[in-house]
Amino acid sequence: MAVRIEPSILSADFTAIAADVARIPSADLVHVDVMDNHFVPNLTFGLPMVERLLQVTDLPLDVHLMIDDPDRWAPGFAEAGAAVVTFHAEAAKDAVATARAIRSAGAKAGVALKPGTPAGPWLDRLDEFDQVLVMTVEPGFGGQAFQPEMLDKIRQVRGTIGDRDVWLQVDGGIGPATIARTREAGADTFVAGSSVFGDADPDAAVRRLRELATA
């Protein structure tokens, strides 16, 4: 399996995001956490920020929507040029229709599961998605501690994905101490925030995470 490292700009310097993104050329994608202060108790970026980021970086964007009513809003992020648009199963009224709309707009479609959301009901629908995001913390804030009990869910999802071309992403507390465990459990796409942008050399941190995930 390929390994993808996605630094999350939730941990970047909000006054110099373009400059921080330029410091991670080894990243595979840039992870953009869109929060509306309704689905999660935090407020971050919206569509205008995504549109502007697309103008200042050649790295593809993976937009993680932690918002109410993603059925309405998700396709717009794909139309803007995001490479991946991931929305939460818990917030969608019709996740399959939303995924199809995202794909029709030219992006990969991802479905995200909170720690308390069982993976089982979604495993029969894997062909409708290009990515499954297993949250390893409660969504909303960066810098939280990894929840090791999510490793069993990662294994469950990986066992069902099998040889399908579906990315298995983990997000939350991913760093040097945890990335190998999630890789062993079956993850192939890793979101890392503070462990990258908290480093004096963010790109060296990206390369180190990749080494640990492929060791």
Side-chain angles (χ1 to χ4, degrees):
M1 295 183 293
V3 166
R4 286 168 289 271
I5 307 296
E6 295 191 11
S8 169
I9 60 169
L10 187 62
S11 296
D13 181 351
F14 284 9
T15 67
I17 287 179
D20 266 3
V21 169
R23 299 176 69 199
I24 52 168
S26 295
D28 297 286
L29 299 95
V30 177
H31 196 83
V32 184
D33 290 304
V34 174
M35 307 184 195
D36 63 359
N37 203 32
H38 293 282
F39 180 71
V40 293
N42 197 0
L43 182 65
T44 57
F45 319 108
L47 183 57
M49 174 65 80
V50 170
E51 292 172 333
R52 182 65 181 129
L53 276 173
L54 287 163
Q55 295 172 351
V56 300
T57 182
D58 292 329
L59 290 171
L61 303 187
D62 182 350
V63 177
H64 178 189
L65 299 178
M66 288 172 268
I67 63 173
D68 285 341
D69 200 10
D71 311 74
R72 174 184 178 185
W73 299 108
F77 289 87
E79 292 164 2
V84 187
V85 179
T86 300
F87 61 92
H88 270 267
E90 304 88 0
K93 298 180 181 69
D94 189 336
V96 169
T98 299
R100 291 176 179 176
I102 291 168
R103 284 172 155 178
S104 294
K108 291 180 179 292
V111 62
L113 308 175
K114 288 182 176 183
T117 300
W122 300 96
L123 299 182
D124 291 336
R125 310 182 197 181
L126 280 180
D127 290 338
E128 298 288 350
F129 303 103
D130 302 291
Q131 174 169 273
V132 177
L133 166 52
V134 174
M135 292 297 300
T136 46
V137 300
E138 287 295 332
F141 294 91
Q144 299 183 63
F146 176 81
Q147 296 183 15
E149 59 269 28
M150 292 300 104
L151 291 170
D152 284 341
K153 183 190 284 191
I154 297 167
R155 294 186 187 98
Q156 179 189 13
V157 176
R158 170 51 61 194
T160 304
I161 288 175
D163 294 330
R164 291 182 177 92
D165 185 18
V166 178
W167 298 357
L168 176 44
Q169 185 178 79
V170 288
D171 182 359
I174 302 301
T178 57
I179 193 167
R181 281 188 286 166
T182 56
R183 172 64 170 176
E184 182 180 1
D188 53 40
T189 306
F190 305 89
V191 179
S194 55
S195 65
V196 170
F197 288 112
D199 194 287
D201 186 342
D203 203 54
V206 170
R207 295 193 301 271
R208 177 60 175 156
L209 290 174
R210 193 183 308 280
E211 290 171 0
L212 290 168
T214 55

